[in-house]
Amino acid sequence: MANLVTFSPSNQVGESVPFNKEIFIQAIDVPNLKADASPLEQAIFKVRASGLEIYAMRDLARTDLK
């Protein structure tokens, strides 16, 4: 359970939006970045460099509600 805070040039304080999701992650192999990599390949490398990948999201199931 969390809030997603978004910022824009016209709203530097930010806007808070409830983000109650269950997020599933998995470990992945970090790709090698070639010296002549395209801008798209560079962007993919930056995203995957952490070694983690989000593979699914769903609404948070609240079992404590009656």
Side-chain angles (χ1 to χ4, degrees):
M1 296 176 57
N3 289 323
L4 174 65
V5 180
T6 58
F7 300 93
S8 66
S10 62
N11 183 358
Q12 295 183 0
V13 173
E15 181 177 340
S16 179
V17 178
F19 188 79
N20 299 324
K21 302 285 184 187
E22 194 169 7
I23 300 172
F24 299 86
I25 60 171
Q26 63 187 0
I28 59 168
D29 294 329
V30 177
N32 293 322
L33 184 62
K34 303 181 295 187
D36 61 342
S38 70
L40 177 60
E41 290 171 320
Q42 292 174 14
I44 292 169
F45 176 79
K46 286 180 184 177
V47 169
R48 300 189 81 159
S50 68
L52 297 174
E53 175 181 73
I54 296 173
Y55 68 90
M57 273 194 264
R58 67 179 177 202
D59 290 335
L60 185 62
R62 300 271 318 253
T63 58
D64 61 338
L65 299 176
K66 295 183 182 193

